Amino acid sequence: ADQFDNLDKHTQWGIDFLEKYAKFVKERIEIEQNYAKQLRNLVKKYCPKRSPKDEEPRFTSCIAFFNILNELNDYAGQREVVAEEMGHRVYGELMRYSHDLKTERKMHLQEGRKAQQYLDMCWKQMDNSKKKFERECREAEKAQQSYERLDNDTNATKADVEKAKQQLNLRTHMADENKNEYAAQLQNFNGEQHKHYYIVIPQIYKQLQEMDERRTIKLSECYKGFADSERKVIPIISKCLEGMILAAKSVDEHRDSQLVIDCFKSGFEPPGDFPFEDYSQNIYRTISDGTISTPKQEGMRIDTKTTVGKAKGKLWLFGKKPKGPALEDFSHLPPEQRRKKLQQRIDELNRELQKETDQKDALIKMKDVYEKNPQMGDPSSLQPKLTETMSNMDQLLRVLMLPSLHCSPEGSYTDDANQEVRGPQQHAHPSEFDDEFEDDDPLPAIGHCKAIYPFDGHNEGTLAMKEGEILYIIEEDKGDGWTRARRHNGEEGYVPTSYIDVTLEKNSKGAVTYI
């Protein structure tokens, strides 16, 4: 019984130790999780919060630091993997096993107690039969003494003697029966006791021993799993660290210097030598007054600037500000920086226009599918989105035609810009150019077109049209997205090429006679 109590205490200690280790693993997991979280917050804190339009110079030293932050973020992810692996493979396994261990231990201890209770019951039965046999023997002895006393007593009657003899025989018989019962119970108890101490209890002890050994093995496995959880991510962590080394090696001081040069390059010419001014003879004034050609040249130059200035004033958004993207002419920047910014803006607008054009094409195809297969959808449901897309394209085209987008760094228009805005420039000032061209013959029609979508034509130089309207084409699209067209009444202007279905006449020399 003492050994059984000792095993009871030891197995309970084993479970307590296992749960203590499980608590240790849980706290280790929390450290890992907090470490990963702090690393991620650190990366987030120092990551650049730049918008897509931010054009901060991408120095190699900055790029390297951002790459190191990315690698550190990946490293933090591996710490989370360690925590997850420990939680699943070690802590979760320990808690599940602890529950099973408690159940098994309880079962073995109950079996041991039952065996002990059964042996105690057998002992009580044996002891009771023994005590009963002892009592009957004493009663038989008393009956023997009583019979002998009466048998030797001369005054006793024969009947008393006979009665005492019968009582003796009865007690002797009872004693013999209890003797047999006691012997049987004693033999049974000795057998059960032998079975208890040599079979039942050793078997329970063996089961408790195996259970405790399995607990020890489980702890060993979890110790290994605890280390393996971290060892498994070491290759990936090594790659993260290698990535940081590569980032460090990618720093190029010469490239960074070139970026600084490109960023701050102004495009201004260095100042020329200051002329010597001899005020005593007023040389420059005399030359200026005596020169006939100079005022004419200066006057021409001024007129040209004035004309351009006027054109700028009138051409600004074709007389109206677009509802589309806001425009910045970057006039506050040096010429070289202004050129770069304007080119970036043009590229951005072209990308937006291409995106809207692709969407328009997709909507037209879908509309065509719906018209051919009504069960797939309602064609009219696509019209609002189509109208919105066409409106967006119209606005983008207007902005792309602005002269302020196509200025050279010095402020004059480039050749490409003149091409792109040729329509509106030619028609922006009818009052200035009508006299010059009013006697010219109108341009011949080279084809015709049908309006697929309506166009408001509010801007100067453009021509309004209704959906389905037929127009003459007098000048093809030269790559800027605009086609020059004429109505039957002779009214001319530019229309978006994407809004019309064009049919050109081969070898056409005059106006198209059919439409």
Side-chain angles (χ1 to χ4, degrees):
D2 291 343
Q3 297 302 323
F4 190 79
D5 291 341
N6 288 335
L7 287 178
D8 185 344
K9 293 176 182 177
H10 172 73
T11 51
Q12 181 60 50
W13 172 87
I15 291 174
D16 293 342
F17 182 80
L18 185 138
E19 291 185 339
K20 182 179 181 180
Y21 176 66
K23 186 180 178 184
F24 161 79
V25 174
K26 183 180 180 183
E27 292 183 10
R28 172 73 171 83
I29 290 169
E30 290 173 355
I31 290 172
E32 208 57 78
Q33 289 171 335
N34 291 332
Y35 179 46
K37 184 178 180 182
Q38 288 174 343
L39 284 177
R40 288 198 183 278
N41 288 339
L42 181 67
V43 170
K44 187 177 179 182
K45 179 180 178 181
Y46 283 92
C47 263
K49 297 180 177 66
R50 297 199 310 271
S51 64
K53 293 182 179 179
D54 194 346
E55 295 165 8
E56 178 184 336
R58 299 286 285 171
F59 295 109
T60 57
S61 56
C62 296
I63 295 171
F65 178 57
F66 300 152
N67 290 337
I68 287 171
L69 288 175
N70 288 333
E71 295 292 353
L72 187 60
N73 199 55
D74 293 342
Y75 175 87
Q78 294 309 306
R79 305 318 310 181
E80 290 171 343
V81 170
V82 171
E84 185 178 350
E85 184 74 8
M86 282 185 179
H88 172 72
R89 185 174 173 181
V90 183
Y91 181 73
E93 181 66 18
L94 283 172
M95 296 310 294
R96 182 195 64 78
Y97 187 75
S98 174
H99 178 269
D100 294 343
L101 196 64
K102 289 177 182 177
T103 303
E104 184 181 355
R105 174 179 174 276
K106 184 178 179 182
M107 179 186 70
H108 294 323
L109 293 179
Q110 284 178 343
E111 289 177 354
R113 292 191 183 95
K114 284 180 182 178
Q116 188 65 47
Q117 288 171 359
Y118 178 69
L119 185 64
D120 290 345
M121 181 191 71
C122 291
W123 181 84
K124 284 181 181 178
Q125 288 178 344
M126 183 273 295
D127 188 57
N128 287 337
S129 63
K130 177 183 175 182
K131 289 177 179 177
K132 191 174 182 182
F133 171 55
E134 185 182 3
R135 285 196 306 270
E136 291 299 331
C137 285
R138 284 197 298 269
E139 292 297 326
E141 287 177 3
K142 289 180 183 178
Q144 178 70 28
Q145 291 173 358
S146 179
Y147 169 70
E148 288 177 355
R149 189 175 62 251
L150 288 173
D151 188 41
N152 293 326
D153 188 356
T154 55
N155 297 324
T157 62
K158 189 177 181 179
D160 291 338
V161 173
E162 188 63 28
K163 184 176 179 182
K165 186 177 181 180
Q166 290 177 355
Q167 185 67 24
L168 175 61
N169 291 335
L170 178 63
R171 288 296 177 185
T172 303
H173 178 71
M174 291 289 290
D176 289 340
E177 285 187 350
N178 280 278
K179 181 180 180 181
N180 293 334
E181 175 67 17
Y182 167 59
Q185 290 293 339
L186 180 62
Q187 184 178 6
N188 178 68
F189 171 74
N190 286 335
E192 290 297 333
Q193 181 175 255
H194 185 275
K195 180 181 177 182
H196 178 81
Y197 285 106
Y198 286 92
I199 299 175
V200 177
I201 289 298
Q203 181 65 28
I204 293 173
Y205 285 176
K206 183 181 179 182
Q207 290 172 343
L208 287 170
Q209 179 183 348
E210 290 175 351
M211 180 195 74
D212 198 57
E213 288 176 354
R214 287 198 307 274
R215 175 192 64 83
T216 306
I217 291 171
K218 179 62 68 174
L219 278 171
S220 174
E221 291 173 351
C222 288
Y223 292 162
K224 183 175 180 295
F226 182 83
D228 282 343
S229 298
E230 186 154 359
R231 188 168 63 177
K232 186 187 294 184
V233 303
I234 286 178
I236 303 176
I237 287 177
S238 295
K239 287 184 179 180
C240 292
L241 297 176
E242 287 171 11
M244 294 182 186
I245 298 298
L246 288 174
K249 291 180 179 179
S250 70
V251 175
D252 185 342
E253 68 279 11
H254 299 300
R255 185 178 173 186
D256 284 3
S257 294
Q258 189 59 45
L259 280 173
V260 175
I261 293 169
D262 293 341
C263 181
F264 298 113
K265 185 178 180 181
S266 67
F268 290 121
E269 290 292 332
D273 296 337
F274 281 91
F276 176 74
E277 299 183 24
D278 190 349
Y279 294 104
S280 63
Q281 297 180 20
N282 295 323
I283 297 172
Y284 293 98
R285 182 184 303 274
T286 305
I287 293 174
S288 178
D289 294 340
T291 302
I292 300 174
S293 58
T294 302
K296 189 180 289 184
Q297 290 173 353
E298 288 180 356
M300 288 173 64
R301 180 155 47 86
I302 293 169
D303 291 342
T304 303
K305 286 186 176 180
T306 305
T307 305
V308 172
K310 289 180 180 177
K312 274 190 178 181
K314 283 200 171 185
L315 288 176
W316 186 261
L317 306 187
F318 300 105
K320 294 187 176 181
K321 284 192 176 181
K323 297 178 182 176
L327 185 64
E328 165 87 49
D329 65 1
F330 306 109
S331 57
H332 63 289
L333 296 175
E336 180 66 20
Q337 301 303 319
R338 185 183 184 202
R339 180 191 64 76
K340 287 167 63 177
K341 293 284 186 181
L342 288 172
Q343 187 58 50
Q344 289 172 3
R345 183 63 177 141
I346 290 170
D347 293 342
E348 181 185 339
L349 288 169
N350 281 327
R351 285 194 297 271
E352 292 179 16
L353 180 60
Q354 185 59 47
K355 183 179 177 182
E356 294 291 342
T357 303
D358 293 343
Q359 181 166 307
K360 178 205 72 173
D361 294 341
L363 288 168
I364 290 173
K365 288 179 182 177
M366 191 180 294
K367 185 176 180 182
D368 185 52
V369 171
Y370 285 1
E371 287 173 349
K372 293 178 180 177
N373 303 282
Q375 69 275 11
M376 294 183 69
D378 181 11
S380 61
S381 64
L382 300 175
Q383 192 57 43
K385 186 64 178 175
L386 194 54
T387 303
E388 179 187 346
T389 302
M390 298 306 296
S391 175
N392 292 342
M393 289 175 63
D394 185 19
Q395 291 172 8
L396 288 169
L397 284 168
R398 291 178 195 171
V399 177
L400 273 169
M401 289 177 65
L402 295 176
S404 57
L405 275 182
H406 305 278
C407 289
S408 67
E410 289 75 26
S412 60
Y413 297 123
T414 63
D415 294 339
D416 291 341
N418 286 332
Q419 244 187 359
E420 289 187 13
V421 297
R422 66 190 185 284
Q425 275 187 307
Q426 291 170 357
H427 294 271
H429 309 287
S431 60
E432 294 179 18
F433 300 110
D434 280 352
D435 294 340
E436 188 178 346
F437 297 108
E438 63 184 358
D439 294 333
D440 292 347
D441 294 331
L443 291 171
I446 58 173
H448 66 278
C449 64
K450 180 179 180 180
I452 306 173
Y453 306 103
F455 178 61
D456 56 23
H458 290 329
N459 296 326
E460 294 184 45
T462 60
L463 182 66
M465 60 183 181
K466 298 178 181 178
E467 184 177 352
E469 185 176 355
I470 305 297
L471 303 171
Y472 296 108
I473 295 177
I474 57 176
E475 190 178 339
E476 290 184 66
D477 185 343
K478 294 185 178 180
D480 58 3
W482 294 88
T483 298
R484 191 173 177 182
R486 180 193 298 140
R487 279 207 181 84
H488 295 281
N489 60 8
E491 187 179 353
E492 295 180 4
Y494 284 85
V495 295
T497 307
S498 58
Y499 282 38
I500 57 176
D501 184 12
V502 177
T503 303
L504 295 176
E505 299 298 326
K506 293 183 180 179
N507 302 321
S508 176
K509 296 181 180 178
V512 178
T513 55
Y514 64 89
I515 283 187

